[in-house]
Amino acid sequence: MAALHHVSDPEILVVCLCAQWCGVCRDYIHVFAQVRERCADMRFVWIDVEEQADLLDPIEVENFPTLLIADAEEPRFFGPLTPHAGTLERSVRERSRHPDPALAERGDLRALVARLRAAN
């Protein structure tokens, strides 16, 4: 799967972590692209967890799709998500405004956000 990038560099980063072998992920890439178009003020990135394992290390992704939402430096949401457009869009909009305070202590996720910002 090719990475999906939005041309701007807004503060909110929405990352879908999936795998090419996963049928749900192959179907979900189209949903992800649709929501990206409706949320043009945010930056969307698609990552294949096997092709870009070095970027994700030490984070393990076991459920697909898994979503990471972050602001400029902090993760706001990290976890599996039901693969529906409405669920994705609601989650992105809600979590971009109201972060999960428990994620502030996740140094591994903060480091991943920094690596993603640097790579994209």
Side-chain angles (χ1 to χ4, degrees):
M1 288 181 196
L4 297 174
H5 301 277
H6 196 272
V7 295
S8 66
D9 187 18
E11 184 175 304
I12 299 297
L13 179 66
V14 180
V15 182
C16 186
L17 305 167
C18 274
Q20 175 63 35
W21 55 261
C22 174
V24 171
C25 292
R26 286 192 305 269
D27 294 339
Y28 193 58
I29 194 167
H30 303 293
V31 171
F32 193 74
Q34 290 170 357
V35 173
R36 178 189 66 189
E37 294 302 316
R38 291 194 297 263
C39 298
D41 57 329
M42 299 175 189
R43 185 170 163 204
F44 283 66
V45 178
W46 183 273
I47 294 185
D48 185 302
V49 299
E50 292 182 349
E51 289 180 11
Q52 295 177 282
D54 291 346
L55 179 66
L56 297 175
D57 187 48
I59 296 169
E60 295 288 330
V61 177
E62 297 177 9
N63 298 301
F64 301 108
T66 290
L67 194 69
L68 169 64
I69 302 171
D71 62 19
E73 298 175 2
E74 301 286 332
R76 293 177 171 226
F77 174 82
F78 180 74
L81 195 69
T82 306
H84 298 103
T87 303
L88 174 59
E89 189 168 354
R90 277 190 310 276
S91 296
V92 165
R93 293 196 185 280
E94 176 66 21
R95 294 300 185 159
S96 66
R97 291 188 304 268
H98 305 288
D100 179 348
L103 295 180
E105 302 300 318
R106 294 275 314 259
D108 58 340
L109 289 178
R110 291 182 71 189
L112 175 58
V113 170
R115 288 192 303 273
L116 289 168
R117 292 246 178 232
N120 291 293

